[in-house]
Amino acid sequence: MKTQIFNAKNKEDITAAADILRSGGVVAIPTETVYGLAASCLDETAVKKVFAAKGRPQDNPLILHVDGIKMLDTVVSEISDKAIMCANTFWPGPFTMVLPRKSTVPASVCGGLDTAAVRCPSQSTARAVIAAAGVPLAAPSANISGSPSPTTWQHVCADLDGKIDAIIMDKPCSVGVESTVVSLVGEHPRLLRPGAVTVEQLRAVLPDLEIDEAVTGKFASGKASSPGMKYKHYAPKCEMHMISADNAAFADYVNNKNDAVVLCFEEEAESITVKDKLVYGSQSMPELTAQRLFDALRELDRMCAKKAYVHAPSKSGVGLAVYNRLQRACEFREIKL
Ligand code: TXA
Ligand code: MG
């Protein structure tokens, strides 16, 4: 299949992308978090193509993208007061809520669950495409399942060129990690995946918010609240280890490891003396770390790294999302010094 490359700056290209989506095709679109692989969420055959292109397990449900609360009504059967409060506070933006699914959305889109995860992105191209398509779009991250999420259109090309109808070329994603996911179907709201909307911001609206064990730890056993959490995720090909330590102890630990790539922060870069080091963020600017994270993980593959050590970020604010993604990239290998 020839994958068309559209330009977000051209109005005709947005219209062409929307036409493809309305007629059952799949298009990679930018959002503020990561690039998404979109299809009409009402078209089961189109959504099957998304699962196939990514190599995604069938029981891992997709997030539905709407252009506002009015469209939300077309995909969920009940909008609670809490949901309205969340939408008013966090939309448009990197926030996804899990609500009861309406039967117009095929169960297979939502991994067979009777719930649907919905978000309203803020990125202007994403909004223009949803509006032009006129239907909510199911869109997981536009990467091969298991590999680091794409934050540039070139990342999407590297994974999916030749496998999908089109890619919309736009700027790199400003947030860089996937949306915060909160379930609103249980007795208490529950954080399933951390993102740029932080626990502190969520608690201001949802004081009884619970944090799922998979947010900071390994999914243990039984039924995952969010099926995506049980799969291997965000991993480069090399063996990666996370090191929790202060800057001096981190430098001491990694400086004799010349067989590995060291992922460090800008503030400590001078004290890291190994041959291969990558600055993946800044301790004083956690938003920048989030924005750069997935490109750094992909860089490890481009360097053909065999082994890597990454300095753990602080878990506060958006740092929790970075930590959560790194835990998975490291398959939970973490050394605390
Ligand atoms: O920022 C994002 O959310 C990006 C962009 C493209 O919008 N999308 C994204 O999709 O990250 P994906 O498919 O890579 O991750 C979706 C996550 C998975 O962990 C999945 O298990 C969870 O959301 N999820 C989806 N529907 C769910 C549901 N009904 N109940 C619980 N978890 C759900
Ligand atoms: Mg993903």
Side-chain angles (χ1 to χ4, degrees), residues 223-237:
K223 198 167 169 283
S225 324
S226 179
M229 293 189 297
K230 69 185 183 206
Y231 294 107
K232 186 177 167 184
H233 256 138
Y234 318 115
K237 293 190 180 75

Side-chain angles (χ1 to χ4, degrees), residues 265-279:
F265 294 107
E266 187 165 276
E267 289 85 349
E268 63 191 347
E270 264 180 31
S271 66
I272 307 298
T273 56
V274 293
K275 181 165 59 59
D276 293 319
K277 68 180 166 188
L278 262 179
V279 173

Side-chain angles (χ1 to χ4, degrees), residues 136-274:
L137 301 177
S141 47
N143 54 314
I144 295 290
S145 218
S147 77
S149 296
T151 52
T152 66
W153 69 270
Q154 292 94 334
H155 293 164
V156 182
C157 274
D159 278 18
L160 298 174
D161 190 22
K163 294 185 176 162
I164 59 176
D165 294 300
I167 296 170
I168 304 183
M169 178 172 84
D170 203 351
K171 289 190 276 291
C173 302
S174 58
V175 172
V177 289
E178 302 86 345
S179 60
T180 302
V181 180
V182 172
S183 169
L184 293 177
V185 292
E187 195 188 335
H188 297 286
R190 195 171 186 80
L191 176 65
L192 303 182
R193 181 175 72 182
V197 170
T198 64
V199 170
E200 297 78 8
Q201 289 169 321
L202 292 171
R203 287 236 155 95
V205 180
L206 303 167
D208 58 338
L209 180 79
E210 290 173 347
I211 315 272
D212 199 272
E213 58 172 356
V215 168
T216 52
K218 195 171 181 171
F219 165 68
S221 59
K223 198 167 169 283
S225 324
S226 179
M229 293 189 297
K230 69 185 183 206
Y231 294 107
K232 186 177 167 184
H233 256 138
Y234 318 115
K237 293 190 180 75
C238 68
E239 178 189 304
M240 221 173 138
H241 299 260
M242 182 149 59
I243 312 295
S244 290
D246 62 32
N247 291 3
F250 179 69
D252 260 6
Y253 185 82
V254 296
N255 273 345
N256 61 349
K257 308 251 183 306
N258 275 310
D259 60 334
V261 180
V262 172
L263 276 78
C264 65
F265 294 107
E266 187 165 276
E267 289 85 349
E268 63 191 347
E270 264 180 31
S271 66
I272 307 298
T273 56
V274 293

Side-chain angles (χ1 to χ4, degrees), residues 33 36 56 60-61 63 65 115 117 119 140-141 178-179 193 225-226 228:
T33 56
R56 183 176 176 106
N60 193 359
I63 291 179
H65 295 67
T115 54
R119 97 172 180 98
S141 47
E178 302 86 345
S179 60
R193 181 175 72 182
S225 324
S226 179

